[in-house]
């Protein structure tokens, strides 16, 4: 069976962000993770790119979930990127909005993020 | 005055996509543009990165707007990436969902995208 690769981005639903704002925050996380992987995790990056750069956006209840997910991602040695918004619109300055994890083997990611629903 | 750099992502509002779907499509465009710029437009890429990788998400009425924006971006020599969704959920296969333009000088981008509203 072919191993699937994906990048998961977890978004806080408690902030109740507008869809344009969410999209920009998720894009920040995706770009950060992709650039990190390209530099430091070339093998996963290439496989993910060959498979079309699959991205999955999930929702979490709040900040604590993002911190917990980040901790678990680091424990597994996965690339991750926590995004803090400058907060000029919609949220207070320095609000943590989302977390990107990967790109990585989808099965390993599912161990961490599988419990959460799609946004 | 410091030149501002940004990446603009235009999203079709006629598809009426859910917010998670929009976020993933916008992230596709942003990652494609960022990786292209990193390779082929190093100067703009570096300036954009130094300024925090600003991303702006706008909405357009439909497909024709994306094609027109793409044409104008290419006429100005700007990096751009048109995103086509595989269409397993929410849209028909091979649906063009959004377009990323840049990163580039914000003033040049505004000449093309300035007429559109934020998503």
């Amino acid at each position: 069976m072919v191993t699937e690769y994906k990048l998961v981005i977890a978004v806080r639903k408690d902030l109740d962000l507008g869809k344009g704002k969410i999209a920009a925050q998720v894009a920040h996380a995706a770009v950060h993770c992709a650039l990190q992987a390209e530099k430091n995790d070339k093998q996963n990056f290439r496989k993910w790119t060959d498979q079309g750069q699959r991205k999955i956006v999930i929702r979490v209840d709040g900040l604590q979930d993002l911190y917990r997910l980040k901790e678990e991602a680091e424990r597994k040695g996965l690339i991750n990127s926590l995004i803090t918004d400058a907060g000029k619109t919609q949220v207070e300055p320095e609000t943590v909005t989302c977390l990107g994890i990967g790109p990585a083997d989808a099965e390993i990611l599912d161990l961490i993020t599988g419990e959460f629903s799609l946004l």
Side-chain angles (χ1 to χ4, degrees), chain A residues 93-104:
Chain A
E94 305 308 310
T95 300
V96 174
T97 56
C98 65
L99 171 75
I101 311 176

Side-chain angles (χ1 to χ4, degrees), chain A residues 58-70:
Chain A
I58 60 174
R59 59 194 161 96
V60 302
D61 285 338
L63 185 59
Q64 292 315 312
D65 290 310
L66 294 188
Y67 285 150
R68 180 167 61 82
L69 284 172
K70 183 177 174 58

Side-chain angles (χ1 to χ4, degrees), chain A residues 96-115:
Chain A
V96 174
T97 56
C98 65
L99 171 75
I101 311 176
D105 181 328
E107 283 188 15
I108 295 172
L109 276 169
D110 285 345
L111 294 175
I112 305 179
T113 64
E115 68 182 283

